């Protein structure tokens, strides 16, 4: 199975190619330029460097939201265009689940945060749990990500209160962390850590990994059906 993965839901633009269990390539950029300037050239470069034909892809995974309205539109439009042209299904990966997947296997709960302005963040609360593999006779397990709290737009103080009630160690990551870090530390009563630079932003590799799981479970839509998930109205609509 080959997947192309795209993420332009935040400040980061990221493209990846996954072939089975091998991450063939990932191109991630977090530097000033807009996604309309970067995403397609990055895709073109990664395809050339890996001598890949896009027609080889089984599906296209894309970070479907929430996030930057403009970034989501660019990512979804790119995925839809490719899906329609190549007749490939789309795997809509919730943005926060994709970010949380950066910490696959941790015992702590994972709390990705994207700055949603007005003292709110786009967030969710996730954990990895062991599940037995039915067809395996050995004691081999697989780790499955579960949502303790589905992605939503929420006030920072309300999020911290919920984490305190859970009473477990938390890993924070995402572009909302530097904005609200001091506020979190003042009110959080459980142990916490903040993800390092290599793991604290969107990565198309994580979108691809989670997309492969969704693909195996038939969670795909046609390119015509795919739409980004904004979670709340744009400023112009409000």
């Amino acid at each position: 199975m080959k997947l192309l993965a795209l993420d332009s839901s935040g400040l980061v633009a990221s493209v990846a190619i996954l072939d089975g269990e091998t991450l063939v390539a990932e191109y991630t950029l977090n530097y000033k330029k807009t996604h309309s300037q970067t995403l397609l050239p990055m895709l073109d470069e990664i395809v050339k460097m890996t001598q890949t034909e896009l027609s080889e892809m089984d599906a296209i995974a894309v970070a479907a939201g929430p996030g930057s309205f403009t970034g989501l539109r660019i990512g979804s439009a790119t995925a839809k265009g490719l899906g329609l042209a190549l007749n490939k299904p789309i795997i809509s990966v919730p943005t926060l689940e994709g970010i949380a997947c950066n910490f696959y296997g941790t015992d702590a709960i994972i709390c990705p945060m994207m700055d949603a302005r007005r003292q709110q963040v786009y967030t969710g609360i996730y954990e990895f749990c062991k599940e037995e593999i039915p067809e395996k006779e050995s004691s081999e397990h697989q780790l499955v990500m579960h949502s303790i709290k589905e992605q939503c737009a929420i006030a920072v103080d309300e999020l911290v209160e919920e984490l305190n009630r859970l009473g477990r160690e938390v890993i924070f990551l995402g572009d909302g962390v530097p904005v609200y870090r001091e506020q979190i530390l003042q009110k959080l009563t459980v142990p916490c850590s903040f993800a390092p630079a290599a793991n604290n932003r969107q990565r198309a590799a994580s979108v691809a990994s989670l997309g492969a799981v969704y693909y195996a479970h038939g969670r795909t839509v046609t390119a015509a059906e795919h739409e980004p998930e904004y979670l709340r109205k744009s400023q112009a609509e409000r």
Side-chain angles (χ1 to χ4, degrees), residues 101-213:
C101 198
N102 289 359
F103 277 87
Y104 176 87
T106 181
D107 291 330
I109 59 176
I110 310 162
C111 184
M113 298 167 51
M114 299 178 69
D115 186 14
R117 314 290 182 183
R118 298 182 298 148
Q119 283 293 303
Q120 284 195 327
V121 289
Y122 295 124
T123 189
I125 304 173
Y126 306 94
E127 64 179 346
F128 283 95
C129 300
K130 288 182 180 180
E131 289 187 1
E132 291 186 5
I133 303 175
E135 62 273 17
K136 299 284 186 179
E137 295 181 2
S138 68
S139 58
E140 183 179 349
H141 289 77
Q142 60 185 351
L143 289 173
V144 178
M145 187 167 70
H146 289 163
S147 298
I148 298 173
K149 183 179 184 64
E150 296 287 348
Q151 59 181 22
C152 61
I154 190 174
V156 177
D157 286 349
E158 189 178 342
L159 171 63
V160 171
E161 287 175 8
E162 193 155 345
L163 292 169
N164 286 338
R165 285 195 297 270
L166 289 170
R168 294 173 56 186
E169 181 184 355
V170 188
I171 298 173
F172 290 101
L173 66 163
D175 62 39
V177 170
V179 181
Y180 298 107
R181 180 170 180 150
E182 293 306 316
Q183 187 174 337
I184 291 167
L185 289 173
Q186 285 174 7
K187 300 187 177 182
L188 194 72
T189 59
V190 295
C192 73
S193 58
F194 297 92
N199 305 88
N200 68 8
R201 293 293 189 274
Q202 288 90 332
R203 290 189 60 186
S206 293
V207 172
S209 296
L210 205 51
V213 175

